[in-house]
Amino acid sequence: PHGSHLELSGGTSIVSGATMTDGHRIFRNFSALMIAQMVSNIAGLLSTAYLARMLLPEGFGVLGWGIALLGYLGLVVNPGVDRHAVREIARDPGLLNSMTGNVIGFRLSVALLLYLVLAAVIFLFGPEGLKGTVLLVQAAGLFVTAITIDFSFQATQRMGAIAWRQIATSLLILAGVFLFVADTGDVPVAAAVSMLASAIAAIGMLCAFARMQPGFRPRLEFPVIREMLKKSLPVALAAFLTAIFISADIVMLGFLSDDHEVGLYSAASRIFILAVMPATMIGTAFLPHLAATRDNAEARQSALTLHAKALLLFGIMVVAGGVACVSPLIALLFGPAFGEAEMIVTLLVCATGLAYFRLCLDAPLMAWGQDHWRIRALGVGAVANVLLNLYLIPLYAGEGAA
């Protein structure tokens, strides 16, 4: 649907008459994601600043705890099948419709089952009141996860569509929180705004894809899904261990401490997420190219070196700037009610440097099918994170978690 595509020797392609090397394509995709991240980050910062001042640490903690907890259910909805789809579609573009349809069909089925189970658990066992209500609202986001098809555009190296979805989501959330969140009692409203904004953007992307790909439809072809799940198992395990490594802190704080501490830590973790975003963006832009170099040792080494240099350059700048600006950053983003989070933020910004160093090998190992090495490293980190949280949170609360 986008014109002719001819492969030339040396990895050069012609798309609609325009010559584009692998390097140019990566730069174009990286630029699109960079612009989207800049817009999304600005909108996200404004949304976060407003929500923090309206909801205060307690309400912010309820919101953050639900997001962290449901992150694990999101991994059940999407157990690495999108990563597998990127690899397969990048190698054989003819699989685009089939892989996309089966991924969506599988994820929607799992999302429905999980939502019904979660609703029953909350009804029978809790949590009651505000936490239960917010959790049910946020859980509707599982269906958004199911229909989000960034992977299809990533596999075909059309990052512009992903960029537009990110921009639309962030701007809709910003408009929604300013219009509908006014005080500490609007925590469920804030959860609904985020979920609905994400849904609108994801549905728009899905409709655009369906127009570009005649014959596309959600599918449940069980042999395809079985093979997809089998090959995605290492990625799913790695994603689960990563979630424990990153977000177990907030979940455990919710059980071992109070909403105020969860709110402080949730705010600090937003800064950590922002600091790591350039690394995620770099890995996303490089993943298709890294996958394409799997069987060429020289090209593989070149791609690995370029990827590592980009990550480490951004990492140094992020950590140095973050440590120097902790106090004004908290005051700007969250207001005086979150001043107690200064030490938590400082510790997490320092941890960002280690995250960038680790991620130098994360995307390459994933792209080359060497997930067992990622799983071993993440397993050690996840176990250490849980054990240290069990010991340190009762003693030092949020600072112990950081």
Side-chain angles (χ1 to χ4, degrees), residues 87 91 231 234-235 238 287 290-291 294-295 300 361-378:
R87 290 198 294 244
R91 293 170 188 166
K231 292 184 177 180
V235 178
L287 189 61
L290 287 165
R294 178 177 180 176
D295 300 321
R300 192 167 60 239
L361 293 176
D362 194 74
L365 289 176
M366 184 183 302
W368 300 332
Q370 301 296 315
D371 296 296
H372 60 284
W373 290 108
R374 296 178 63 244
I375 291 171
R376 290 177 185 178
L378 290 169

Side-chain angles (χ1 to χ4, degrees), residues 347-362:
L347 291 170
L348 290 180
V349 169
C350 291
T352 301
L354 298 175
Y356 271 81
F357 184 76
R358 179 185 69 82
L359 290 170
C360 286
L361 293 176
D362 194 74

Side-chain angles (χ1 to χ4, degrees), residues 32-295:
L33 292 176
M34 174 69 81
I35 293 170
Q37 287 295 333
M38 288 176 61
V39 175
S40 299
N41 286 347
I42 293 172
L45 289 174
L46 293 174
S47 301
T48 298
Y50 183 79
L51 284 174
R53 286 163 172 79
M54 293 299 103
L55 303 181
L56 300 181
E58 288 75 13
F60 206 70
V62 172
L63 207 60
W65 185 75
I67 292 171
L69 185 62
L70 286 168
Y72 294 96
L73 295 185
L75 293 176
V76 180
V77 173
N78 182 33
V81 292
D82 58 340
R83 296 284 187 174
H84 170 71
V86 168
R87 290 198 294 244
E88 295 303 309
I89 296 169
R91 293 170 188 166
D92 183 1
L95 295 174
L96 180 59
N97 270 10
S98 173
M99 292 297 297
T100 304
N102 278 291
V103 167
I104 291 177
F106 166 76
R107 295 196 306 197
L108 280 173
S109 301
V110 176
L112 177 60
L113 177 62
L114 284 179
Y115 191 88
L116 293 175
V117 171
L118 179 64
V121 169
I122 292 174
F123 178 76
L124 294 173
F125 306 107
E128 300 177 350
L130 180 62
K131 272 191 175 180
T133 300
V134 171
L135 205 55
L136 281 175
V137 172
Q138 291 173 318
L142 295 174
F143 297 101
V144 180
T145 298
I147 64 171
T148 299
I149 56 168
D150 286 6
F151 66 91
S152 298
F153 290 91
Q154 181 185 354
T156 53
Q157 302 196 48
R158 291 181 289 180
M159 305 298 186
I162 300 174
W164 279 113
R165 185 195 62 77
Q166 292 175 348
I167 291 171
T169 300
S170 62
L171 293 180
L172 286 171
I173 291 174
L174 177 61
V177 297
F178 272 105
L179 288 173
F180 301 112
V181 179
D183 55 46
T184 55
D186 287 334
V187 181
V189 177
V193 165
S194 179
M195 184 274 296
L196 289 173
S198 300
I200 291 170
I203 291 171
M205 173 181 266
L206 185 61
C207 291
F209 180 84
R211 285 197 302 270
M212 292 187 297
Q213 296 295 133
F216 165 75
R217 58 180 175 80
R219 312 176 186 204
L220 280 175
E221 298 170 347
F222 292 104
V224 175
I225 292 173
R226 183 168 56 249
E227 183 68 15
M228 187 167 57
L229 289 173
K230 179 181 177 181
K231 292 184 177 180
S232 297
L233 183 61
V235 178
L237 181 56
F240 180 72
L241 293 173
T242 300
I244 295 176
F245 185 74
I246 293 175
S247 63
D249 308 14
I250 297 178
V251 176
M252 295 177 72
L253 268 174
F255 288 109
L256 299 175
S257 190
D258 55 34
D259 291 338
H260 181 83
E261 284 294 328
V262 176
L264 295 177
Y265 193 89
S266 295
S269 69
R270 298 294 178 91
I271 295 177
F272 176 82
I273 292 170
L274 287 174
V276 175
M277 271 186 180
T280 304
M281 185 172 55
I282 291 169
T284 300
F286 269 86
L287 189 61
H289 180 57
L290 287 165
T293 66
R294 178 177 180 176
D295 300 321

